[in-house]
Amino acid sequence: MPLVLYTCLFWLSTSGLWTVQAMDPSAVVSARSPHRGLAPTNVDFAFDLFQHLVAWAPNKNIFISPVSISMTLAMLSLGSGSRTRSQLLQGLGFNLTAISEAEIHQGFQYLHHLLGELERSLEMIMGNALFLDHNLELLESFSADIKHYYESEALATDFQDWERASREINEYVRNKTKGKIVDVSSDLDSLATLILVNYMFLKGTWAYPFDPENTKEKSFYVNETSKVKVPMMSQSRVMLYLHDSVVPCQVVQLNYVGNGTVFFILPDKGHMDTVIAALSRDTIQRWSTTLTLRNQVDLYIPKVSISGTYDLKSVLVDMGISDLFSNQANFSGITQKAPPSISQVIHKAMLQLDERGMAPTAPTKNALPLTSEPVTLRFDRPFLILIFDHFTWSTLFLGKVVNPA
């Protein structure tokens, strides 16, 4: 009787991207903030996962929420037996001699709380739910733990009637996300008896929106032999910019309503793989400290509408989390009749990026030196998007845009 994990994140933003300023997680670890201890490990896991996923699909759009995936796997560990639990947590990057399991779950508990308490300027909906066959009974300890640490509900349904169960799962997530996330169950295994769902919806607003009047149809070069026509947004203003001398790419950092930034990364031609391989905590921290304020950047970014559904089984096995999908898996902490293995780990994400946003505000004064040399930056070939949460330094989103159409 298989167990399915479904980490479902739709980032549906018709008003732009929500982002936050990057900072060094090692500099903000505090005993008063349990989630801080998770930050370095979660960031490392995010880049490792992204790099593996890109290797499996080198010529495709990729868009994921690593924090959604790590939170779901951590929640599952609460019901895992000793070997499976250790492999799972170590696969997430935790050194169990340096941090206790209780500290890990307390960190995720506080992280979940903080992500749910984001600024009122953002629309944020997130949660967890466990659906189980009505013939099964959760162990009281597991039910209590997932509710305490992850605010997860446990809901019984009849998996023998998959059509009805599918409808109930879809309706639950649709209601919780106010209609923003729909049709969750279409990618799930109909033979499942337990389905663990993590859902998250974010909507933000550009602080400096693109003027729709400036959006023009332009060519986007998918590769050396293929191009597509896309609506290309543009604006010219003061921006933080870097032409990296270490990693072959250009980086621009944009400002948004609230306390936020996003890195758009344009690899030099032929160097996408090099840039992806270089993604790390150190790289992101170096970018955040070496970006230079330019008094004029002529920026061109395509409108984007991409989505993806990923079965992460092969990727997680490559990352060392293999027992999860074998007969060696131990989920004796979930039910008396525990499923022998995981059949699927499904992750679904969506990105929509356009011009709209609220009226621009006055530029914030910045102590960084202002460079007078103008820069023209055209995202007219495959590029990367990196988004971090300022308060938790969680890797909320990682994306590779090969074809924005």
Side-chain angles (χ1 to χ4, degrees), residues 87-244:
Q87 188 185 88
L88 188 51
L89 293 174
Q90 289 170 356
L92 288 172
F94 293 105
N95 181 348
L96 298 181
T97 62
I99 184 171
S100 70
E101 292 178 32
E103 289 173 320
I104 292 172
H105 296 299
Q106 287 165 4
F108 275 111
Q109 177 188 35
Y110 195 51
L111 172 60
H112 186 276
H113 171 74
L114 289 179
L115 291 177
E117 293 294 326
L118 293 173
E119 302 173 58
R120 296 301 179 187
S121 59
L122 302 171
E123 183 179 353
M124 173 79 175
I125 305 170
M126 67 176 299
N128 303 292
L130 177 69
F131 297 89
L132 71 158
D133 189 83
H134 63 90
N135 291 319
L136 295 177
E137 184 176 350
L138 287 184
L139 292 177
E140 185 177 341
S141 57
F142 180 71
S143 180
D145 283 344
I146 64 173
K147 182 176 182 180
H148 175 68
Y149 290 116
Y150 298 93
E151 299 182 21
S152 178
E153 294 187 80
L155 303 149
T157 189
D158 183 4
F159 279 93
Q160 300 303 310
D161 185 351
W162 175 245
E163 185 177 345
R164 178 182 176 183
S166 174
R167 219 170 29 244
E168 290 177 354
I169 294 170
N170 285 337
E171 184 178 352
Y172 175 88
V173 176
R174 183 170 56 249
N175 289 339
K176 287 292 185 179
T177 60
K178 301 178 182 178
K180 304 300 191 301
I181 300 178
V182 298
D183 198 23
V184 168
S185 62
S186 61
D187 303 297
L188 300 181
D189 189 339
S190 61
L191 299 176
T193 53
L194 282 161
I195 295 177
L196 187 58
V197 175
N198 170 277
Y199 55 87
M200 186 184 299
F201 171 83
L202 290 169
K203 182 177 179 179
T205 306
W206 293 107
Y208 303 95
F210 292 83
D211 185 346
E213 294 292 326
N214 295 331
T215 299
K216 308 295 181 183
E217 189 176 75
K218 299 290 183 181
S219 293
F220 185 93
Y221 298 89
V222 176
N223 52 47
E224 292 182 356
T225 60
S226 177
K227 65 180 180 179
V228 295
K229 291 292 185 180
V230 298
M232 188 73 72
M233 306 181 295
S234 67
Q235 61 176 231
S236 297
R237 62 175 180 84
V238 175
M239 296 181 199
L240 285 166
Y241 166 84
L242 171 68
H243 195 163
D244 198 349

Side-chain angles (χ1 to χ4, degrees), residues 61 90 113 207-208 253 366 389:
N61 292 327
Q90 289 170 356
H113 171 74
Y208 303 95
Q253 175 181 312
N366 199 310
D389 175 55

